[in-house]
């Protein structure tokens, strides 16, 4: 959900935008007037802006470290990825704290359906 990006922005006092082909999920609407988004016809890239060059360099270095880790580290050993997936599971309500495993919605023993909790106001 962009929390890693937000953390880098906060820590480096910079603004980071992911642009280019693949930066917007398929099916998401671009501009309302039908025009292409800025940089949409370019290769995937990050646009980093800040008040000082030092902050830009700091943010770029952190982005490079994340990319390097994602490329060089096997998926099962990538601690950042594990932490991100754990946080996402926590946000989605599918994390099991007792054994630190991620519980997928379809594996849940407890049914979490909106229809199970809906009560008719006329008949109860």
């Amino acid at each position: 959900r962009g929390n890693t990006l937000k953390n880098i922005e906060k820590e480096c006092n910079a603004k980071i935008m992911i642009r280019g082909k693949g930066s917007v999920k398929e099916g998401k609407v671009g501009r309302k007037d039908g025009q292409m988004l800025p940089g949409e016809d370019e290769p995937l890239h990050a646009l980093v802006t800040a008040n000082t060059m030092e902050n830009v360099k700091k943010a770029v270095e952190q982005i490079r470290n994340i990319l390097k880790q994602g490329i060089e580290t096997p998926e099962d050993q990538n601690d950042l990825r594990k932490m991100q997936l754990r946080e996402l599971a926590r946000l989605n309500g599918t994390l099991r704290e007792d054994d630190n495993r991620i519980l997928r919605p379809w594996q849940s023993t407890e049914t979490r359906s909106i229809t199970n909790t809906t009560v008719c106001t006329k008949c109860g």
Side-chain angles (χ1 to χ4, degrees):
R1 296 197 185 162
N3 288 340
T4 303
L5 191 67
K6 290 173 194 169
N7 290 339
I8 294 172
E9 287 180 334
K10 192 178 194 179
E11 187 178 317
C12 298
N13 199 21
K15 178 69 181 156
I16 305 168
M17 293 175 273
I18 308 299
R19 290 190 169 173
K21 293 177 183 168
S23 63
V24 178
K25 288 183 182 178
E26 234 178 271
K28 293 280 185 180
V29 180
R31 289 178 40 170
K32 292 183 181 187
D33 59 5
Q35 296 289 324
M36 292 178 76
L37 294 168
E40 191 177 1
D41 57 339
E42 300 171 6
L44 190 62
H45 64 280
L47 176 64
V48 181
T49 57
N51 291 336
T52 67
M53 197 60 193
E54 183 181 309
N55 289 347
V56 171
K57 288 178 182 178
K58 200 164 134 182
V60 168
E61 185 60 31
Q62 286 197 21
I63 293 168
R64 282 192 174 132
N65 288 339
I66 289 173
L67 291 173
K68 183 178 178 187
Q69 183 179 1
I71 293 167
E72 295 176 356
T73 308
E75 195 170 312
D76 61 331
Q77 297 172 10
N78 189 329
D79 292 332
L80 175 63
R81 181 168 169 74
K82 286 179 188 176
M83 184 270 306
Q84 288 174 326
L85 289 172
R86 180 179 170 77
E87 182 180 5
L88 185 61
R90 185 184 56 76
L91 291 170
N92 290 336
T94 56
L95 179 68
R96 296 173 86 180
E97 292 294 341
D98 55 341
D99 59 3
N100 293 330
R101 290 188 329 182
I102 295 174
L103 179 64
R104 308 286 187 242
W106 61 88
Q107 296 170 325
S108 177
T109 55
E110 172 186 322
T111 53
R112 293 185 179 195
S113 172
I114 187 77
T115 56
N116 288 352
T117 59
T118 304
V119 178
C120 179
T121 55
K122 294 200 185 255
C123 66

